[in-house]
Structure formats: C-alpha cells, structure tokens
Amino acid sequence: MYWLKKNSYIFIVIAAVIIFFIFISKEEPSSPLSASLISSDLEEPTEAPLTKETPAEQQARTAVVDVKGEVMQPGVYEMEQGDRIRDIIDRADGFTENADILQVNLAQVVQDEMVVLIPAVGQEEPVVNAPAGEQTNNNKIKINTASSEELTQLPGIGPAKAEAIIAHRDNHGLFQTPEDLLEISGIGEKTLETLIEHIQVP
C-alpha cells in the first residue's frame, strides 16, 4: 500500500507537468517571422510584362532633318520628335561666324523631312520645313513660324485664335496642310477658305 501511494504521487506530478506543457503550447502565439515566411512562400512573384517597341513605333519617334547653310557641320541628322531647332544646331556644332542668327527661330519644333537652311548675314530669310529647292513666298504668312502678332494680320484671326494656333503648333508639331487648321476650335471651313490664299503651309 505504501508503494502504491508513493507512486500515485509521482503519476499525479507527471500528469500535471504534461497538462501544463499542453496548455502553454496552445496559448503561445505564432511567430510573426514564421508567418511572414509562410506567406512569402505561398505568394508567387509577379513580373511586369516587358514591352518592346516595333520598328514602326521607333521610327515614329524620330525625325530626320537636313541642315544646310551657315552651320559648322551641315548634313542630315536623326532627331527625336519634339526636339527644337536649337537642338539640331547644337548637333551641327553651332553656327558659323557668318550666320544671321536673328532670322532663325530656335524654339521651333523639328519634324521629319524638314529642311533647315541657315542664311548668312545679308541673305534672304532661312527656309524651314520646305522640300529642297522649293521657293518660299514672302507675301504669305508662314503658319509654322509666324508670331502671334503676325497671325492676327490674317483675316478672321484674332489674338485668341492666334494663341490657339501657336499652342497647337507647339503641342502637336508643325502643320502639314492648311486643313490641319480645322483641328483648332473656332476655325471652320469658311474661315479656312479665306485663310488659304494668305498662308504658307508648311
């Protein structure tokens, strides 16, 4: 009886220890690090799709410009759409000493197939965005280079429309045909008919 009673105490102690450890294991919160590792294992990495420009898209972003006259390195240059005349003059190593820079609109946006002829002092004004050999008509307003004051000299064009023409020119590039003016709010078919004989495009 004494041995049985002594061993019963041992069994009770062991059972209490086991119950204690079971209780502690249930109450212990899971490790944040373990949770994050489990989460990261379950998540599959996502990669952004790679896009590759087609040759046509690359060509649309470039403009091939022919620079002639009083620049240090005349020639044909490939420019980015949106570049300015000042950018292509820099590519051509700048003006010569004889260049009449007062006749050059350095802020004009370049465009594909543009011809830029920089005159010497005393020569006629430069040809810009005209095919090689084409004569410019000095009696007409050059819609792609005209200032706001010059544009207001046109019939039906006030200060507001003049600024709209310049804004459209700066944001969308040079006008290619007179009909491009129809994209400007306030200029309709009738206004265009009166403008055609007074403007030069390009």
Side-chain angles (χ1 to χ4, degrees):
M1 290 294 293
Y2 174 78
W3 178 88
L4 181 62
K5 184 176 181 181
K6 183 179 180 180
N7 284 312
S8 65
Y9 288 123
I10 296 174
F11 291 144
I12 293 172
V13 171
I14 293 174
V17 171
I18 293 173
I19 293 172
F20 175 78
F21 278 107
I22 292 174
F23 178 79
I24 292 299
S25 63
K26 288 184 178 181
E27 291 295 323
E28 183 178 359
S30 60
S31 170
L33 179 59
S34 300
S36 63
L37 291 176
I38 294 172
S39 176
S40 63
D41 290 339
L42 294 176
E43 293 179 358
E44 295 183 358
T46 58
E47 296 182 358
L50 298 177
T51 59
K52 185 176 181 180
E53 289 184 336
T54 64
E57 291 173 334
Q58 293 176 349
Q59 185 176 5
R61 294 195 302 108
T62 60
V64 179
V65 183
D66 187 6
V67 184
K68 304 177 182 294
E70 298 299 324
V71 291
M72 299 300 294
Q73 297 291 336
V76 177
Y77 293 89
E78 186 173 293
M79 308 295 293
E80 293 289 333
Q81 288 285 0
D83 283 347
R84 308 282 176 161
I85 294 295
R86 67 171 180 266
D87 298 318
I88 196 168
I89 297 299
D90 290 340
R91 289 282 303 276
D93 291 338
F95 297 107
T96 67
E97 294 180 356
N98 298 325
D100 188 353
I101 63 176
L102 296 179
Q103 296 192 52
V104 183
N105 180 8
L106 296 176
Q108 183 176 348
V109 178
V110 302
Q111 192 161 343
D112 192 36
E113 300 183 2
M114 174 184 284
V115 176
V116 179
L117 175 58
I118 307 301
V121 176
Q123 289 183 345
E124 295 181 357
E125 59 184 313
V127 177
V128 178
N129 198 38
E134 180 178 324
Q135 297 293 322
T136 57
N137 186 345
N138 293 328
N139 294 325
K140 293 185 177 182
I141 299 294
K142 298 175 182 177
I143 205 71
N144 283 323
T145 59
S147 64
S148 178
E149 292 76 13
E150 292 171 327
L151 290 172
T152 54
Q153 298 175 15
L154 294 169
I157 302 298
K161 288 183 181 178
E163 292 300 329
I165 291 174
I166 293 174
H168 188 281
R169 189 173 69 196
D170 291 341
N171 295 329
H172 302 283
L174 303 180
F175 298 101
Q176 296 299 304
T177 65
E179 287 72 20
D180 290 342
L181 290 170
L182 295 174
E183 299 176 5
I184 298 173
S185 177
I187 297 181
E189 294 286 351
K190 291 184 178 179
T191 302
L192 181 61
E193 289 178 4
T194 62
L195 289 175
I196 287 180
E197 60 180 307
H198 300 287
I199 62 175
Q200 178 182 325
V201 183

